Amino acid sequence: QVTLKESGPVLVKPTETLTLTCTVSGFSLSGPRRGVSWIRQPPGKALEWLAHIFSNDEKSYSTSLKSRLTISKDTSKSQVVLTVTNMDPVDTATYYCARIRALEIDLDQWGQGILVTV
Amino acid sequence: QSALTQPASVSGSPGQSITISCTGTSSDVGGHDFVSWYQQHPGKAPKLLISEVSDRPSGVSYRFSGSKSGNTASLTISGVQPEDEADYYCNSYTSSRTLVFGGGTKLTVL
């Protein structure tokens, strides 16, 4: 059974750096054709894709947020970490991690999300 | 990367068919077949409904189908049911090797 779970602070102050961790189970971060994406959703608003990382360490970032985002993975811990620098109240959102399938380029399994308030 | 364009809301009576459009550009929707659709009920995480324009993952109802013409993708729900009332989002891979979501569509079942 594939699961993903987000963890991190639920409250951060403006200008601080947010560090979120996605812990996965049921699949390997080193396995072929799989990766993890981060997506966020401000209260009452639409989903926004942030970044993804694949097993070969290929990374991609949202163009509008690229300067503030860093994604990395620790395969031995089955964790993917996202950092967002210089947090602002407009960054208040539920942050989700999701498994991305490299061949289909879709997000087939999602975590429950974590609401982060700035 | 601008968000893909979806209608803010659609509605239908039980048993009716409804279609939600998702318009992008030749750099995303029109450039390849990596378009997917997600259903999100209030307070829940999104769920994958359609992959690669029209593929339905195992466990997804046959009532959901997808298609694409040019820069516009579409999600059709045949025989809408009360439990289909939710928000729907399209997503596309882009020529910049990023992903982009649509603005979301709220489906109301009358």
Side-chain angles (χ1 to χ4, degrees), chain B residues 35-94:
Chain B
V35 177
S36 50
W37 289 89
Y38 302 84
Q39 176 191 59
Q40 186 181 35
H41 286 106
K44 301 294 187 182
K47 169 190 173 184
L48 177 64
L49 280 183
I50 296 289
S51 176
E52 293 185 280
V53 174
S54 60
D55 288 348
R56 202 170 44 247
S58 174
V60 174
S61 172
Y62 67 92
R63 298 185 295 103
F64 294 93
S65 62
S67 62
K68 191 184 83 166
S69 178
N71 295 337
T72 298
S74 299
L75 172 71
T76 297
I77 308 176
S78 304
V80 167
Q81 299 298 311
E83 59 265 31
D84 298 333
E85 187 161 293
D87 293 326
Y88 292 84
Y89 293 91
C90 61
N91 179 275
S92 177
Y93 190 55
T94 79

Side-chain angles (χ1 to χ4, degrees), chain A residues 44-77:
Chain A
K45 295 189 177 182
L47 299 170
E48 178 184 20
W49 176 80
L50 299 177
H52 64 230
I53 186 168
F54 287 110
S55 56
N56 62 358
D57 217 38
E58 175 189 340
K59 304 168 188 175
S60 185
Y61 296 99
S62 163
T63 303
S64 59
L65 292 167
K66 186 172 185 175
S67 63
R68 299 174 53 207
L69 300 175
T70 302
I71 192 169
S72 62
K73 63 181 173 72
D74 185 332
T75 301
S76 65
K77 294 182 179 179

Side-chain angles (χ1 to χ4, degrees), chain A residues 4 6 18 20 22 29 34-41 47-55 57-73 80-85 94-101 105-107 109-110, chain B residues 1 38 91-94 96-101:
Chain A
L4 302 95
E6 306 86 353
L18 171 67
L20 293 172
C22 176
L29 294 177
R34 294 290 186 267
V36 170
S37 274
W38 283 95
I39 304 99
R40 72 179 181 181
Q41 184 173 38
L47 299 170
E48 178 184 20
W49 176 80
L50 299 177
H52 64 230
I53 186 168
F54 287 110
S55 56
D57 217 38
E58 175 189 340
K59 304 168 188 175
S60 185
Y61 296 99
S62 163
T63 303
S64 59
L65 292 167
K66 186 172 185 175
S67 63
R68 299 174 53 207
L69 300 175
T70 302
I71 192 169
S72 62
K73 63 181 173 72
V80 173
V81 175
L82 179 75
T83 63
V84 187
T85 61
T94 296
Y95 286 75
Y96 295 99
C97 62
R99 187 175 73 168
I100 180 170
R101 298 192 295 178
I105 312 293
D106 62 26
L107 304 166
Q109 301 289 337
W110 292 65
Chain B
Q1 183 70 47
Y38 302 84
N91 179 275
S92 177
Y93 190 55
T94 79
S96 302
R97 301 170 73 88
T98 63
L99 296 180
V100 61
F101 280 99

